[in-house]
Amino acid sequence: MNRLLLLIAAALIPLLASAESVKSPNGNVALNFQVAEGGVPIYEIFYKEQPVVLPSRLGLQLAKDKHASRGMDETDLMDGFSLADSKTTTFYETWEPVWGESAYIVNHYNELAVTLKQKPFVDAAGKKRDGRRIIVRFRVYDDGVGFRYEFPQQEDLNYFLIKEERTEFGLTGDHTAWWQAGDYDTQEYPMQTSRLSEVEPRIRAAIAAKGTGKQDNMRDAIIWGNASQTPIPNGVQTALQMKTDGGLYINIHEAACINYATMHLEVTGTKEVGTVGIQPTLVSHLTPDATGLKGCMQTPCQTPWRTVMVSDDARDMLSSNLILNLNEPCALDDVSWIHPTKYCGVWWEMIVGKSRWNYTDEFPSIYLDNIDWQKAKPNGLHAANNEKVRRYIDFAADNGLDQVLVEGWNVGWEDWANMWKRDVFDFTTPYPDFDLQALNDYAHQRGVKLLMHHETSSSTQNYERHLEAAYSLMNRYGYDAVKSGYVGDIIPRGDHHYSQSMNDHYLYCIKEAAKHHIMVNAHEATRPTGLCRTYPNLVGNESARGTEYEAFGGSNPDHTVILPFTRLQGGPMDYTPGVLETQLNTWSDNQNFVHTTLVGQLALYVTMYSPLQMAADLPENYAKYMDAFQFIRDVACDWSESRYLEAEPGDYITVARKAKGSDNWFVGGKCDEQGHRSVVKLDFLDKGRKYECTIYADAKDADYETNPKAYVISKKTVKQGDVLKLNEARGGGFALSLKPVQ
Amino acid sequence: MNRLLLLIAAALIPLLASAESVKSPNGNVALNFQVAEGGVPIYEIFYKEQPVVLPSRLGLQLAKDKHASRGMDETDLMDGFSLADSKTTTFYETWEPVWGESAYIVNHYNELAVTLKQKPFVDAAGKKRDGRRIIVRFRVYDDGVGFRYEFPQQEDLNYFLIKEERTEFGLTGDHTAWWQAGDYDTQEYPMQTSRLSEVEPRIRAAIAAKGTGKQDNMRDAIIWGNASQTPIPNGVQTALQMKTDGGLYINIHEAACINYATMHLEVTGTKEVGTVGIQPTLVSHLTPDATGLKGCMQTPCQTPWRTVMVSDDARDMLSSNLILNLNEPCALDDVSWIHPTKYCGVWWEMIVGKSRWNYTDEFPSIYLDNIDWQKAKPNGLHAANNEKVRRYIDFAADNGLDQVLVEGWNVGWEDWANMWKRDVFDFTTPYPDFDLQALNDYAHQRGVKLLMHHETSSSTQNYERHLEAAYSLMNRYGYDAVKSGYVGDIIPRGDHHYSQSMNDHYLYCIKEAAKHHIMVNAHEATRPTGLCRTYPNLVGNESARGTEYEAFGGSNPDHTVILPFTRLQGGPMDYTPGVLETQLNTWSDNQNFVHTTLVGQLALYVTMYSPLQMAADLPENYAKYMDAFQFIRDVACDWSESRYLEAEPGDYITVARKAKGSDNWFVGGKCDEQGHRSVVKLDFLDKGRKYECTIYADAKDADYETNPKAYVISKKTVKQGDVLKLNEARGGGFALSLKPVQ
């Protein structure tokens, strides 16, 4: 059978004729598994009888180690397997997230667990060994598949080192992909849209893409001039969103990445053009440690879940809970202290370059303990000062915001990044113009909290040494949330941001924070994989190119209609929207502009789900647009229900959400640089009830480049079944606020 | 001038004619410094007008880094210098160590500090830069020289990365050397004696030398089969003891190694035979980090002192305080809790293989938190059990020992080493048969303390995470000293035992321990460099091949008459002597024997100075030799005065010490496999006073191989000026206890 015939057949019957099989509850998704010739484990995935993943290999290459005793063995877990056992089960539950896009989540799947056994062998000491066993567990949902490798505890596979995981995803064609270049140390490249075959030729440009911004502040220089950057030649990051020419949406990511390195996907097979075109295969590529190894494992253990979401409706990519469902239930007994949070902060003006994190320019370099900060000469540009922070506290209190982030409050910002300084911050000593006690007291009087900031400068050993004192200080002064940061290369040197040990570090901090009832929002940490189900105090991550890049040259307008399909699959992003003064040179020397309309910024509060939402702009900028700012005041950040109304990756997203504990609905629509005409059917409203609908819309002539701040706010009364037609400008969007009329 | 003439001239006048010069207070040691052609810094050292170090280069090679901003520059600090300043000063002080070989130490030196300046340059950004400045500071003592590089804070040298330090020590000939093979991860190779030219050809054998022992327990297997071992092809460790053919003793080591990698010495130039023979040059070779770099520096900073001790009397090598003097004064305000300690412990029987550290053999591997230890099946061999520990407590209390070390008290020993397990111990959870409260209570009732044990398994991140809880637990139960261990490869992977970051880790633990009033005895940690002056709670280190190796094949009899010249230069060693039952197979299946006579073991308490002395053998073995054990009961471990009476590296050492706060003297003599006839002149006794002298001597026919346990104990009354002639057997020694007769 030639390849063409094979593929035609594949559309009708599974390729793996004698396979173990399992289908999703509604039958749409089917998975086959088989041990092929040579004992090679193979799987394939179908959606409505169309192939999604062609027969593809599973396995891991192990590394040789000088410590070869006690079952530590370098024989690969790639082949030589026979099927020892196979079990199929069904699971159904509903569970209630602490916060999220909906109040209840259904977790319904059919499971196939295959036990694979290698042949008995004689070890180095001449001892007869039973064959080693692994389990591959597949969970098949109506919207996709998750599978993982499990390594039961056994004498013959006790410890092992991973040279590389070799999980393959054979694709049916040269799909369109929304991707970010693979890298061990940054996730902040611009998102790319291309055929898979174009990934490798485009990667060099993708990792060099810097926007066009003037490099006018220190952070800027660090990010562009000296970024921690370790690209993979033909690799992309996950979640990878794809679309077949036949209109099938496929998304590959991972779930529950614990004690394991973060996965990238190498794009292979794009140079072999067959009779029916290119059929790329994606192959897992883990982040290495300082010695190049990918993992040190001890049984019993397992890999994260490898996830393949699939649907013929793009909206299902956004509404899927597959990744959360594959994570373990909440591990915390008490979650009463975890809450969604809207905040503003002393931040954007530093990003833009108008003020600074550091207090003094007096010293060429500093040792924290050797400076008399009271005597240090202020540079006059330090943002985190008592007067300014009080103004932000007042602004938050006056506008219903819960917290005020203050970056640059603690000593060490004089030479914090990329100097290979280990002892860079102590996380407890404020600058002399930041009165820790008085500012917290004032905030609490005004009914808001300060939001702590811990920039680690990626010096993780230093951070762990100070962690207990830093969290204790937070408890002492009444902080309950921390934004942490990992700018720069990892210290200890040689390690990478997404390695097994760093992933462990991030989780260690989350667990320690939970003991202190502290919520964590970790920037530059590894991209999330749904761990917020298990540890709901992980309320946010950055882990992608955020709003800050609008001050560094900008992000393409399609950025925020790609992120929900990619970065947001694993958990919420602290994208920090709400920059209503899109022209930065109106109030600073920064010549960059935000690549959305003003209304587009409002839409992001709904389209980019997060329990943590920043109002990123300056109070004085909001003062110019108080009518538009009203939406930011009103919008919820926790939801009982979410309905994706329209979606196409890179083009547009429209979503309606119902505020938790309320009957209010909010609708957001966001589009790319093409604009979008959105048709919103108000099916989701309560029957027979009237709603006051406030519409925040781009003005007719609005355009993110030429006329971004032209908007129209209107009100009308609506009811279930009404249809709103809304024009989204180039780089624009809309936002609706719907309140029942009493 | 040919080389021969040059050397003849060198014996008469300094080679560096126009040099900056400084001499030691008594004029014996002279140092010249000059900036030679090309701006190369050169120094030379003389002793009584004989050259010790020929004109030799100074400098550091810097590494290029992607972060090149803010004065981080890769231009080497090797040449292009001019002499900008030169200062000579004199210093004299006496200081009182918290514990030591004498009550007072004189610190008297003449100092030459030269400021070297490179040319102004234009940096990458086109900015004009002043020339970079470094200082080389020489301190010249009557018994040698210390010098270091200092890097003042300056815009043009703010941060830098060390590719390699290139400090050279040009030697006048192919000296005899007592050396240990260089290695980034072990200091436990047998000591070697050879000409310098033989180092490189012998290194392969030196690092493979394993003794002849049966590998009959887990620790044994780990050490021999899977040791953490990263040898340097032509490198030796310091302190390196040498002797010229002319009878000059030269010792090279380092002092105050803080925030810097440990130095090895490459032996170069041994293949070029000149007209007057080989003149090897030793070149510094630092321990790298995981990426191969040798150091990350921020000015102001400095290197450790590089020390060259020199004398024509071998005894001066042992009595010198040069290395302690080069360290900073005590950094602790309160030292009242620091005290010399004699201890026994549950240890030797595990080393020998009769009992075990681990409690159960039930599991192929363990996760600390997943085991119900109460239900785990005991293997019946666990040594650290209530009954046994009580017996050791009784033994200590009955025999004037202060503390009882218990290894294997805490969970995790089932798979503790070389499995790349990060979370290997928690340092707080006892095995079910070790009652932490009851045993400490019992010990305190009996007037002794337990001595804590923290084996880190070199998983330093794990240790640091648990450090505060571990030290707090010690405070809670009344421990005031900890033996820590660093067996196995360093986790995080790729780092090495003696790197800058690991040296920082060891010091971090010492400083944190001081906050808890805890004394530290760190095994497998980096070799000491006199830091115990600054942090006197660092009461001991292993950092060389200790007594345990007598159970793994043995150490040569000359081992303990080399160690005081080498390993002990930087600080005391927890050598754990006192194994009176030298034949291990009399009480175990271990076929090894101790390579000293029984009396030789007694002598070590005097010849191997340490404020921490173990009585390592089992109580039941001591019961067989209670008359000899009396010396261990009596001997002090803190001294007001020490006099080295006889010494020759690798042959013999005889030393007399006066117990602090007492008029008692103790004398120890130890020799190699040749035996030694010691002549002890009792000059040091108080004039006109009579002393009861107890003599512990090898019997006439004693021999470490054929008749080790033959000894004679005799008493006589002696007075100042008496001479004792004592025969030391092959591998033997003697011990004297002298008490004034009232």
Side-chain angles (χ1 to χ4, degrees), chain B residues 417-428:
Chain B
N418 288 325
M419 308 303 170
W420 295 118
K421 274 187 72 165
R422 195 202 52 218
D423 300 332
V424 61
F425 293 112
D426 67 10
F427 311 98
T428 53

Side-chain angles (χ1 to χ4, degrees), chain A residues 34 372 403 685:
Chain A
Q34 186 181 278
D372 182 343
Q403 302 206 352
L685 298 178

Side-chain angles (χ1 to χ4, degrees), chain A residues 83-94:
Chain A
L83 184 66
D85 190 28
S86 169
K87 276 202 185 74
T88 313
T89 51
T90 290
F91 184 86
Y92 181 92
E93 69 170 349
T94 60

